[in-house]
Amino acid sequence: VRGRAAGSAVSFETVLPSSSASEGEDASRIEVSYSPDEMKLRAAARGDASSFGTVVHRLLETGAGLSDEELHRLAGGLLRTEGLAVDPADAVAACRRIFSNEVYAQSLSASRVYREMPLVFRSGDVLVNGVIDLLYHDGSGWVLADYKVLLDPSKKSAEELKERYKGQLDLYEEGLRKAGIEVKRKVLVI
């Protein structure tokens, strides 16, 4: 799904699992990060998807160059720290899918790339304190990407996901603009 932010020339994409492509839709425009079956994660006895997402983000930040064995050990330690009874293989699989995603792959050859980058700025009367998952310059402009680790993305339509997370990406774009960075493309990877 593609669109434009209101009052902005910045494109916005929602990246869904490949099985979400409807007949006749250009499946090549859907960047696969997760399939619905793979996303039925065993996200802990207490169902803490947020903590699982935190673990996956930490692995993304530090684990791209690690072997599967090293990534598995790191995932196990992070999951224990978060108090999650989840098989480390689930976290490793989520990371490997993101590592193989087109957006992530493009960032590897970018001239400038920032992962898990803190962003603090004032928006009106509010102090915004966030973390940008991925920001890179692709040669023609800055690409802002946000990864969402959902338990079952098939339960949400592209429009629902886009609407739910659009505000976060718009806010990060505002903060980057205040820092002198003009974003040309915003991508939500599910």
Side-chain angles (χ1 to χ4, degrees), residues 33 60 63-69 71 91-101:
S33 287
L60 290 170
L66 300 178
S67 69
D68 281 345
E69 181 181 325
L71 197 56
V92 171
C95 286
R96 289 293 179 210
R97 284 187 295 275
I98 291 174
F99 291 155
S100 67
N101 181 271

Side-chain angles (χ1 to χ4, degrees), residues 5-6 29 38 48-49 52 54 66 93 118 167 173 187:
R29 288 303 318 141
E38 291 169 329
D48 196 344
F52 183 81
T54 297
L66 300 178
E173 178 187 17
V187 183

Side-chain angles (χ1 to χ4, degrees), residues 10 135 142-144 172-173 176 181-186:
V10 175
L135 177 69
W142 289 98
V143 178
L144 170 63
Y172 286 176
E173 178 187 17
L176 290 169
I181 296 173
E182 290 297 324
V183 174
K184 81 160 189 177
R185 180 177 168 213
K186 295 183 281 186

Side-chain angles (χ1 to χ4, degrees), residues 1 12-20 29-41 56-57 60 93-95 97-104 133 144-166 168-169 186-190:
V1 173
F12 180 93
E13 291 180 59
T14 303
V15 181
L16 293 173
S18 60
S19 61
S20 298
R29 288 303 318 141
I30 297 177
E31 303 163 47
V32 179
S33 287
Y34 305 102
S35 74
D37 289 338
E38 291 169 329
M39 286 307 301
K40 292 177 182 162
L41 301 172
V56 171
H57 279 262
L60 290 170
C95 286
R97 284 187 295 275
I98 291 174
F99 291 155
S100 67
N101 181 271
E102 180 184 337
V103 173
Y104 189 90
D133 294 341
L144 170 63
D146 192 61
Y147 300 115
K148 295 299 178 195
V149 179
L150 305 176
L151 290 177
D152 190 354
S154 66
K155 291 184 179 181
K156 300 278 187 190
S157 73
E159 287 304 313
E160 286 174 307
L161 292 168
K162 178 181 169 182
E163 194 57 37
R164 180 173 181 183
Y165 297 112
K166 179 184 177 306
Q168 178 185 359
L169 285 171
K186 295 183 281 186
V187 183
L188 181 63
V189 180
I190 304 295

Side-chain angles (χ1 to χ4, degrees), residues 73-151:
R73 276 198 312 267
L74 180 58
L78 291 168
L79 289 163
R80 281 189 298 280
T81 299
E82 289 291 325
L84 297 175
V86 176
D87 185 344
D90 289 336
V92 171
C95 286
R96 289 293 179 210
R97 284 187 295 275
I98 291 174
F99 291 155
S100 67
N101 181 271
E102 180 184 337
V103 173
Y104 189 90
Q106 289 171 353
S107 76
L108 296 176
S109 61
S111 60
R112 289 175 281 178
V113 61
Y114 303 93
R115 299 180 199 290
E116 300 297 322
M117 182 180 90
L119 181 67
V120 179
F121 66 98
R122 186 163 297 285
S123 178
D125 293 338
V126 176
L127 181 63
V128 177
N129 185 354
V131 177
I132 293 174
D133 294 341
L134 177 62
L135 177 69
Y136 66 94
H137 198 278
D138 69 359
S140 63
W142 289 98
V143 178
L144 170 63
D146 192 61
Y147 300 115
K148 295 299 178 195
V149 179
L150 305 176
L151 290 177

